[in-house]
Amino acid sequence: GSTYLGLDTSANLSAMLLWMLERKLPDTFIADYDAAIASITIDDVRAAGQVLFHPERMVSVSVGKSP
């Protein structure tokens, strides 16, 4: 995927390794990434949505002419 395409230069690979170090991610992070993404279930996405999205706080904005 795009994760691997982003590691096409020494500078990009170095930036990724630094990012991993700053976040204390394991050395296997890049190798394990695809499996971690593939393991996400619809229930995981729904649970994240419950935590992150609050309809009562949302604002609707319309631009242009009203029908």
Side-chain angles (χ1 to χ4, degrees):
S2 63
T3 302
Y4 302 112
L5 293 175
L7 303 177
D8 59 342
T9 67
S10 295
N12 288 347
L13 180 57
S14 296
M16 173 62 96
L17 293 173
L18 178 60
W19 180 82
M20 289 169 54
L21 284 170
E22 290 172 342
R23 286 154 184 79
K24 298 181 172 138
L25 297 173
D27 294 344
T28 59
F29 175 79
I30 295 172
D32 297 341
Y33 184 79
D34 284 343
I37 295 300
S39 72
I40 296 172
T41 67
I42 190 67
D43 289 334
D44 295 332
V45 174
R46 286 184 180 131
Q50 297 270 329
V51 171
L52 298 172
F53 296 104
H54 304 281
E56 70 278 2
R57 295 185 193 165
M58 296 179 105
V59 177
S60 183
V61 177
S62 297
V63 178
K65 295 180 182 179
S66 295

